[in-house]
Amino acid sequence: MKRRKFIQNAALTGLGLTVGTALTACADDGKSKEKAVATTTNSDAKPIIPMVIATWNVPNATKKAWDVLQEGKSSLDAVEQGVMVEEADVNNQSVGKGGLPDRDGNVTLDACIMNKEGDYGAVVCIENIKHPISVARKVMEDTPHVLLAGNGAKQFAIKSGFKPENLLTEASKKAWEKWKVEAKYKPIINVENHDTIGMLAIDKNGDISGACTTSGLSYKMQGRVGDSAIIGSGLFIDNEIGGATATGMGEEVLKTVGSFLIVELMRQGKSPQEACEEAVKRVIKKSPNYKDFQVGYIAVNKKGETGAYCIHEWFNYTIYQNDENKNHKSNYYNKTK
Ligand code: SD4
């Protein structure tokens, strides 16, 4: 089967994305859209920092990152420790321990981290290691490389002191076994509990870092790697400009190098909100079947102004800023039902 056709079928048959969040968890107060726009009008104001923004409803993760920033630590420490909260949470079936497996039952994880210098570290398709984000940081800091894959990444992690463990929880195993029997569930967009976590933070010095970690597309082909750990796609930071990170159908984000695009658009003067909207429109333009998958972006600029945009309703994100930890509903493109 041709690759494009496979991806399309993957979305349609539910090989698919666990792109979603509990609707009830979302701050759907009818003001969210205005909020998203309002955050872009701060251009003359003082930077609102420190701050943290993350994909989905992850208040514990943003709180952890915020607490790290309050201790005066770097944005790099903040994003690493922030996303670790979700990696360790077995109820999040899209990240770390408890992540849904590939179609052969293996939990394989992708993660990357980027610092204010523009250094980057990543692991893809790593198994049995609960905190791939910390392995990614070690790749960045302790090796001459930026990306380790599969068994090489796992062996590096073990040598670096990480303990291998089984990441397939009973709940995820059950879901996989059910999927195998039904083998035809319909495309599900945004119905699962929260998702791939991408996090951006600005510390008290005004320096930006980012992290992104995921178990990827559920029931994917063995060896499949998405956007989340690929520089410029799932995450990009330029400390002069800002940062961006993605969630959703990785194949589409990769095709348009979405996070790098957003940072470049901000460099050219767009607000984070405008840049996210443009990046989503770019995906839509390239993929006539955009109604079958979700892509969502969040972004922040040097001033702490934020933006978020997605294809379909129900993508949301969490901001910890001005001493407030709050979930926001993202504005979205596809208003037709
Ligand atoms: C991927 N972007 O592997 C990730 C998955 C994701 O909701 O965000 N899932 O394609």
Side-chain angles (χ1 to χ4, degrees):
M1 202 188 312
K2 288 236 165 59
R3 195 198 72 85
R4 183 186 297 273
K5 195 78 197 155
F6 172 79
I7 299 297
Q8 197 177 338
N9 288 351
L12 285 170
T13 59
L15 233 190
L17 280 179
T18 53
V19 187
T21 195
L23 276 174
T24 49
C26 189
D28 187 5
D29 56 6
K31 293 184 196 135
S32 314
K33 186 175 158 195
E34 289 82 342
K35 183 97 186 173
V37 175
T39 53
T40 67
T41 59
N42 180 40
S43 44
D44 296 326
K46 249 176 66 191
I48 307 172
I49 59 166
M51 66 80 64
V52 183
I53 181 170
T55 53
W56 306 107
N57 187 33
V58 289
N60 297 334
T62 46
K63 171 154 195 334
K64 179 70 198 179
W66 176 262
D67 289 346
V68 170
L69 293 175
Q70 292 309 306
E71 287 166 22
K73 295 198 176 134
S74 68
S75 52
L76 187 68
D77 290 331
V79 294
E80 180 191 8
Q81 290 185 44
V83 303
M84 282 172 75
V85 170
E86 294 301 312
E87 289 181 335
D89 180 358
V90 291
N91 294 318
N92 184 341
Q93 291 186 300
S94 315
V95 178
K97 188 162 180 154
L100 288 167
D102 65 17
R103 64 188 190 181
D104 300 310
N106 312 298
V107 180
T108 66
L109 308 176
D110 303 334
C112 77
I113 195 159
M114 198 163 183
N115 70 12
K116 66 183 164 105
E117 276 90 25
D119 294 323
Y120 163 79
V123 289
V124 296
C125 226
I126 188 171
E127 291 182 50
N128 302 114
I129 302 291
K130 184 163 76 182
H131 289 302
I133 198 66
S134 302
V135 186
R137 183 166 177 177
K138 285 224 168 283
V139 170
M140 178 173 81
E141 291 177 345
D142 298 353
T143 81
H145 306 302
V146 296
L147 198 166
L148 294 181
N151 191 44
K154 179 176 162 181
Q155 294 312 322
F156 168 71
I158 292 170
K159 274 193 201 117
S160 304
F162 293 82
K163 287 217 166 50
E165 61 182 289
N166 176 26
L167 301 179
L168 186 64
T169 55
E170 272 312 303
S172 290
K173 195 171 168 204
K174 269 203 187 121
W176 169 59
E177 275 160 0
K178 188 162 171 230
W179 171 79
K180 279 198 295 183
V181 174
E182 292 176 352
K184 58 161 191 216
Y185 65 63
K186 293 248 160 71
I188 298 177
I189 300 173
N190 288 320
V191 291
E192 302 281 338
N193 199 5
H194 51 73
D195 203 55
T196 293
I197 179 164
M199 180 181 280
L200 312 166
I202 310 181
D203 59 31
K204 288 179 176 168
N205 295 329
D207 291 323
I208 310 171
S209 301
C212 190
T213 180
T214 190
S215 54
L217 209 59
S218 48
Y219 318 123
K220 59 198 173 186
M221 286 177 73
Q222 190 173 9
R224 181 265 185 189
V225 172
D227 61 308
S228 300
I230 305 301
I231 189 95
S233 291
L235 175 74
F236 196 72
I237 303 293
D238 184 326
N239 197 34
E240 282 177 14
I241 307 297
T245 187
T247 184
M249 184 61 96
E251 282 72 7
E252 302 295 330
V253 176
L254 283 160
K255 211 160 79 175
T256 51
V257 201
S259 294
F260 181 73
L261 174 63
I262 290 169
V263 173
E264 285 308 293
L265 289 168
M266 291 195 290
R267 187 191 305 281
Q268 289 162 22
K270 289 213 187 305
S271 69
Q273 184 61 32
E274 290 166 340
C276 288
E277 290 183 16
E278 176 62 31
V280 165
K281 285 179 189 150
R282 198 73 65 94
V283 170
I284 286 162
K285 205 167 159 198
K286 301 263 179 194
S287 297
N289 65 330
Y290 70 87
K291 291 197 172 163
D292 300 332
F293 60 82
Q294 172 72 302
V295 167
Y297 291 112
I298 56 170
V300 66
N301 67 12
K302 204 62 184 162
K303 294 181 177 140
E305 297 167 331
T306 58
Y309 201 61
C310 58
I311 301 176
H312 302 284
E313 200 176 357
W314 304 329
F315 169 51
N316 61 86
Y317 54 101
T318 309
I319 299 179
Y320 209 137
Q321 194 170 32
N322 283 327
D323 282 319
E324 187 185 44
N325 194 12
K326 193 159 180 250
N327 184 247
H328 302 262
K329 187 177 183 201
S330 171
N331 195 7
Y332 58 98
Y333 179 85
N334 183 22
K335 301 267 160 62
T336 60
K337 286 283 178 244

Tab-separated table of all heavy atoms in Angstrom, residues 225-258:
chain	number	residue	atom	x	y	z
A	225	VAL	N	7.770	6.604	13.265
A	225	VAL	CA	8.154	7.766	14.065
A	225	VAL	C	7.356	8.957	13.565
A	225	VAL	O	7.226	9.155	12.356
A	225	VAL	CB	9.675	8.040	13.926
A	225	VAL	CG1	10.063	9.353	14.586
A	225	VAL	CG2	10.473	6.878	14.522
A	226	GLY	N	6.821	9.729	14.484
A	226	GLY	CA	6.031	10.900	14.099
A	226	GLY	C	6.850	12.176	14.152
A	226	GLY	O	8.075	12.169	14.031
A	227	ASP	N	6.157	13.267	14.328
A	227	ASP	CA	6.792	14.588	14.309
A	227	ASP	C	7.422	14.986	15.640
A	227	ASP	O	8.307	15.834	15.677
A	227	ASP	CB	5.736	15.647	13.974
A	227	ASP	CG	4.631	15.665	15.037
A	227	ASP	OD1	4.068	14.591	15.326
A	227	ASP	OD2	4.355	16.747	15.595
A	228	SER	N	6.924	14.390	16.733
A	228	SER	CA	7.167	14.988	18.048
A	228	SER	C	8.636	15.163	18.392
A	228	SER	O	9.007	16.130	19.063
A	228	SER	CB	6.480	14.163	19.136
A	228	SER	OG	5.097	14.127	18.884
A	229	ALA	N	9.474	14.225	17.945
A	229	ALA	CA	10.894	14.324	18.305
A	229	ALA	C	11.741	14.869	17.167
A	229	ALA	O	12.974	14.871	17.258
A	229	ALA	CB	11.405	12.942	18.712
A	230	ILE	N	11.092	15.322	16.119
A	230	ILE	CA	11.848	15.790	14.955
A	230	ILE	C	11.935	17.314	14.971
A	230	ILE	O	10.921	18.025	14.919
A	230	ILE	CB	11.203	15.301	13.632
A	230	ILE	CG1	11.062	13.771	13.655
A	230	ILE	CG2	12.023	15.760	12.433
A	230	ILE	CD1	12.346	12.984	13.827
A	231	ILE	N	13.156	17.761	15.037
A	231	ILE	CA	13.416	19.188	15.153
A	231	ILE	C	12.723	19.974	14.032
A	231	ILE	O	12.774	19.587	12.874
A	231	ILE	CB	14.941	19.438	15.114
A	231	ILE	CG1	15.290	20.874	15.436
A	231	ILE	CG2	15.543	19.074	13.798
A	231	ILE	CD1	15.622	21.056	16.833
A	232	GLY	N	12.072	21.045	14.433
A	232	GLY	CA	11.402	21.901	13.443
A	232	GLY	C	9.970	21.476	13.183
A	232	GLY	O	9.158	22.288	12.759
A	233	SER	N	9.660	20.204	13.424
A	233	SER	CA	8.300	19.735	13.186
A	233	SER	C	7.498	19.744	14.479
A	233	SER	O	6.636	20.577	14.687
A	233	SER	CB	8.331	18.348	12.546
A	233	SER	OG	8.834	18.451	11.241
A	234	GLY	N	7.815	18.794	15.383
A	234	GLY	CA	7.086	18.743	16.651
A	234	GLY	C	7.468	19.840	17.616
A	234	GLY	O	6.699	20.175	18.531
A	235	LEU	N	8.637	20.417	17.426
A	235	LEU	CA	9.122	21.447	18.360
A	235	LEU	C	10.178	22.302	17.685
A	235	LEU	O	10.999	21.785	16.916
A	235	LEU	CB	9.765	20.752	19.581
A	235	LEU	CG	10.437	21.669	20.618
A	235	LEU	CD1	9.390	22.409	21.455
A	235	LEU	CD2	11.344	20.861	21.554
A	236	PHE	N	10.144	23.589	17.970
A	236	PHE	CA	11.279	24.435	17.575
A	236	PHE	C	11.369	25.633	18.502
A	236	PHE	O	10.351	26.230	18.871
A	236	PHE	CB	11.170	24.911	16.120
A	236	PHE	CG	12.479	25.431	15.601
A	236	PHE	CD1	13.514	24.563	15.315
A	236	PHE	CD2	12.698	26.795	15.456
A	236	PHE	CE1	14.748	25.031	14.871
A	236	PHE	CE2	13.926	27.279	15.006
A	236	PHE	CZ	14.952	26.393	14.709
A	237	ILE	N	12.608	25.954	18.866
A	237	ILE	CA	12.864	27.111	19.731
A	237	ILE	C	13.928	27.978	19.065
A	237	ILE	O	14.958	27.463	18.606
A	237	ILE	CB	13.441	26.664	21.107
A	237	ILE	CG1	12.516	25.680	21.826
A	237	ILE	CG2	13.770	27.880	21.976
A	237	ILE	CD1	11.198	26.242	22.282
A	238	ASP	N	13.685	29.270	19.004
A	238	ASP	CA	14.747	30.223	18.685
A	238	ASP	C	14.667	31.279	19.775
A	238	ASP	O	13.697	32.045	19.830
A	238	ASP	CB	14.538	30.831	17.294
A	238	ASP	CG	15.689	31.757	16.925
A	238	ASP	OD1	16.248	32.419	17.830
A	238	ASP	OD2	16.037	31.816	15.734
A	239	ASN	N	15.660	31.303	20.612
A	239	ASN	CA	15.595	32.148	21.807
A	239	ASN	C	15.493	33.646	21.493
A	239	ASN	O	15.117	34.441	22.333
A	239	ASN	CB	16.803	31.862	22.708
A	239	ASN	CG	16.597	32.378	24.121
A	239	ASN	OD1	15.472	32.362	24.634
A	239	ASN	ND2	17.657	32.872	24.741
A	240	GLU	N	15.815	34.021	20.255
A	240	GLU	CA	15.640	35.440	19.871
A	240	GLU	C	14.183	35.752	19.565
A	240	GLU	O	13.749	36.892	19.637
A	240	GLU	CB	16.419	35.737	18.581
A	240	GLU	CG	17.884	35.912	18.772
A	240	GLU	CD	18.577	36.136	17.428
A	240	GLU	OE1	17.903	36.421	16.415
A	240	GLU	OE2	19.805	36.005	17.412
A	241	ILE	N	13.438	34.714	19.186
A	241	ILE	CA	12.094	34.934	18.636
A	241	ILE	C	10.991	34.331	19.486
A	241	ILE	O	10.032	34.987	19.891
A	241	ILE	CB	11.991	34.313	17.210
A	241	ILE	CG1	13.112	34.825	16.312
A	241	ILE	CG2	10.609	34.557	16.607
A	241	ILE	CD1	13.083	36.314	16.047
A	242	GLY	N	11.084	33.015	19.730
A	242	GLY	CA	10.033	32.308	20.460
A	242	GLY	C	10.109	30.824	20.213
A	242	GLY	O	11.150	30.311	19.786
A	243	GLY	N	9.007	30.154	20.459
A	243	GLY	CA	8.985	28.705	20.273
A	243	GLY	C	7.611	28.233	19.860
A	243	GLY	O	6.605	28.953	20.018
A	244	ALA	N	7.573	27.006	19.335
A	244	ALA	CA	6.294	26.417	18.944
A	244	ALA	C	6.378	24.908	19.096
A	244	ALA	O	7.460	24.326	19.034
A	244	ALA	CB	5.971	26.759	17.487
A	245	THR	N	5.223	24.287	19.314
A	245	THR	CA	5.174	22.836	19.405
A	245	THR	C	3.826	22.337	18.893
A	245	THR	O	2.866	23.107	18.818
A	245	THR	CB	5.482	22.362	20.838
A	245	THR	OG1	5.588	20.936	20.872
A	245	THR	CG2	4.436	22.793	21.831
A	246	ALA	N	3.806	21.053	18.534
A	246	ALA	CA	2.647	20.511	17.809
A	246	ALA	C	2.062	19.289	18.486
A	246	ALA	O	2.739	18.579	19.219
A	246	ALA	CB	3.089	20.116	16.402
A	247	THR	N	0.804	19.043	18.182
A	247	THR	CA	0.160	17.772	18.522
A	247	THR	C	-0.722	17.384	17.351
A	247	THR	O	-1.111	18.230	16.552
A	247	THR	CB	-0.648	17.901	19.833
A	247	THR	OG1	-1.189	16.616	20.180
A	247	THR	CG2	-1.780	18.888	19.712
A	248	GLY	N	-1.016	16.098	17.250
A	248	GLY	CA	-1.883	15.661	16.164
A	248	GLY	C	-1.167	14.753	15.186
A	248	GLY	O	-0.156	14.131	15.534
A	249	MET	N	-1.680	14.677	13.991
A	249	MET	CA	-1.178	13.730	12.988
A	249	MET	C	0.239	14.119	12.544
A	249	MET	O	0.436	15.041	11.753
A	249	MET	CB	-2.129	13.732	11.793
A	249	MET	CG	-1.781	12.723	10.731
A	249	MET	SD	-1.841	11.040	11.350
A	249	MET	CE	-3.475	10.563	10.840
A	250	GLY	N	1.203	13.377	13.053
A	250	GLY	CA	2.605	13.722	12.841
A	250	GLY	C	3.011	13.800	11.390
A	250	GLY	O	3.820	14.647	11.004
A	251	GLU	N	2.441	12.920	10.567
A	251	GLU	CA	2.822	12.908	9.152
A	251	GLU	C	2.534	14.270	8.511
A	251	GLU	O	3.280	14.728	7.643
A	251	GLU	CB	2.049	11.799	8.413
A	251	GLU	CG	2.596	10.398	8.622
A	251	GLU	CD	2.351	9.823	10.016
A	251	GLU	OE1	1.638	10.449	10.824
A	251	GLU	OE2	2.887	8.731	10.303
A	252	GLU	N	1.477	14.914	8.941
A	252	GLU	CA	1.083	16.206	8.369
A	252	GLU	C	1.946	17.343	8.905
A	252	GLU	O	2.279	18.279	8.188
A	252	GLU	CB	-0.398	16.476	8.671
A	252	GLU	CG	-1.327	15.408	8.139
A	252	GLU	CD	-1.347	15.329	6.610
A	252	GLU	OE1	-1.130	16.365	5.960
A	252	GLU	OE2	-1.579	14.223	6.089
A	253	VAL	N	2.299	17.230	10.168
A	253	VAL	CA	3.169	18.259	10.766
A	253	VAL	C	4.551	18.190	10.123
A	253	VAL	O	5.160	19.214	9.782
A	253	VAL	CB	3.261	18.061	12.296
A	253	VAL	CG1	4.239	19.044	12.916
A	253	VAL	CG2	1.892	18.193	12.945
A	254	LEU	N	5.025	16.964	9.908
A	254	LEU	CA	6.348	16.779	9.285
A	254	LEU	C	6.381	17.362	7.882
A	254	LEU	O	7.346	18.006	7.479
A	254	LEU	CB	6.684	15.283	9.223
A	254	LEU	CG	7.145	14.657	10.540
A	254	LEU	CD1	6.978	13.140	10.505
A	254	LEU	CD2	8.592	15.020	10.849
A	255	LYS	N	5.311	17.145	7.166
A	255	LYS	CA	5.244	17.576	5.762
A	255	LYS	C	5.377	19.093	5.632
A	255	LYS	O	5.845	19.591	4.616
A	255	LYS	CB	3.881	17.135	5.220
A	255	LYS	CG	3.840	16.800	3.787
A	255	LYS	CD	2.624	15.930	3.471
A	255	LYS	CE	1.357	16.760	3.360
A	255	LYS	NZ	0.205	15.935	2.943
A	256	THR	N	4.948	19.795	6.643
A	256	THR	CA	4.978	21.257	6.562
A	256	THR	C	5.974	21.863	7.566
A	256	THR	O	6.014	23.081	7.723
A	256	THR	CB	3.575	21.831	6.846
A	256	THR	OG1	3.091	21.249	8.061
A	256	THR	CG2	2.606	21.508	5.726
A	257	VAL	N	6.743	21.016	8.244
A	257	VAL	CA	7.749	21.476	9.221
A	257	VAL	C	7.146	22.584	10.096
A	257	VAL	O	7.690	23.690	10.227
A	257	VAL	CB	9.048	21.939	8.519
A	257	VAL	CG1	10.231	21.928	9.488
A	257	VAL	CG2	9.385	21.036	7.351
A	258	GLY	N	6.024	22.220	10.719
A	258	GLY	CA	5.151	23.212	11.326
A	258	GLY	C	5.762	24.118	12.395
A	258	GLY	O	5.529	25.331	12.373
